[in-house]
Amino acid sequence: MFISGWYTVIITEYAERHFIKPFSKRYKNTWDKTMNAINEMLTRIDMFIKTSKAERIHKSDNSYIAKCEFKIAWTNESPKTSWNRIIIYVDENKKEVQVLLLYTKTDIQWWNETVWWQKLVKENHKEIYSKFNYQI
């Protein structure tokens, strides 16, 4: 199998503790399958970003922040209508994807989704935020 073009996926501690853990409790029976699908999607981010389910939000040199849609395994909802999103940081030089946030509509505590997740990135991923602070 040829995998040299694939990206390494890293789940940040913040995403694990604040988002993935509650998702895993909520979707006990399907969460492992969902996370496997997310991992597969993100290891091939260079192809996935070309679809309508992913969007580059901020770009800086050879890295970018993107928002991706996903669905819970074995549900009839589409990724778009499920309202499940992932905010990722992609380093094209290192071939690395970091999951910064993973959320659903009910997690958003403000009226504006973009302002909400940008604030969380600013507060919890300062090093990444500093690369894009002129845009965010």
Side-chain angles (χ1 to χ4, degrees):
M1 181 182 285
F2 179 76
I3 61 170
S4 67
W6 290 8
Y7 283 69
T8 301
V9 178
I10 298 168
I11 309 290
T12 64
E13 183 182 327
Y14 181 78
E16 178 67 42
R17 187 175 59 243
H18 291 278
F19 297 100
I20 294 174
K21 190 174 180 181
F23 261 90
S24 67
K25 287 180 180 179
R26 190 178 323 147
Y27 299 104
K28 292 176 189 163
N29 299 330
T30 58
W31 188 248
D32 287 342
K33 181 71 172 167
T34 301
M35 275 307 295
N36 287 341
I38 289 170
N39 191 56
E40 288 292 318
M41 170 182 81
L42 296 179
T43 58
R44 297 178 183 94
I45 191 63
D46 52 343
M47 297 303 292
F48 190 69
I49 199 73
K50 296 175 184 176
T51 72
S52 63
K53 295 177 188 147
E55 174 187 5
R56 277 187 185 96
I57 306 292
H58 302 292
K59 185 147 177 61
S60 175
D61 299 325
N62 292 315
S63 62
Y64 60 90
I65 292 177
K67 180 168 72 170
C68 307
E69 301 170 347
F70 74 97
K71 72 179 216 122
I72 302 300
W74 297 304
T75 62
N76 290 329
E77 288 184 305
S78 73
K80 187 170 196 71
T81 61
S82 72
W83 237 92
N84 296 319
R85 306 290 186 261
I86 305 171
I87 303 298
I88 59 171
Y89 168 73
V90 179
D91 186 319
E92 294 173 324
N93 289 336
K94 292 181 181 178
K95 293 278 199 191
E96 189 176 274
V97 176
Q98 291 185 41
V99 175
L100 306 178
L101 309 171
L102 186 146
Y103 61 92
T104 191
K105 187 175 188 173
T106 57
D107 294 327
I108 299 172
Q109 299 171 359
W110 296 358
W111 61 273
N112 186 310
E113 175 190 2
T114 303
V115 171
W116 175 79
W117 71 254
Q118 287 179 348
K119 180 180 184 295
L120 290 179
V121 169
K122 178 181 180 180
E123 293 172 352
N124 299 288
H125 303 287
K126 291 176 178 32
E127 184 177 307
I128 292 169
Y129 176 80
S130 68
K131 294 177 184 181
F132 300 96
N133 66 358
Y134 64 92
Q135 298 174 10
I136 295 180

